Amino acid sequence: MRKVTIVVAFLVAWVFAVPPGWAQKYDDPEHAELAKALKDVKFPLQKGLSASAREGRPISASTK
């Protein structure tokens, strides 16, 4: 019985985790155009955070 419970829990987790990954399409022409347009944009992190402040509080921000 314990084995069945573990398998069912794994399947439920898989059902919720995998479809969002399938939904992302990186080969869309729109994504390629956007990436190309934003490639050379220099925008400070602080300006981005302040520009998005009207949408709510950001949950994270990092610099690379």
Side-chain angles (χ1 to χ4, degrees):
M1 184 68 179
R2 182 172 168 86
K3 217 179 231 188
V4 173
T5 305
I6 291 171
V7 170
V8 169
F10 175 76
L11 289 175
V12 168
W14 182 80
V15 165
F16 285 107
V18 173
W22 287 338
Q24 297 176 2
K25 297 181 181 177
Y26 295 105
D27 57 345
D28 288 342
E30 296 170 358
H31 285 109
E33 290 175 18
L34 180 62
K36 189 175 181 181
L38 294 176
K39 186 173 143 183
D40 297 323
V41 173
K42 302 293 181 194
F43 203 77
L45 179 61
Q46 188 58 38
K47 279 194 158 201
L49 291 173
S50 63
S52 64
R54 66 176 174 266
E55 299 296 326
R57 184 172 168 210
I59 58 171
S60 70
S62 66
T63 58
K64 292 183 179 183

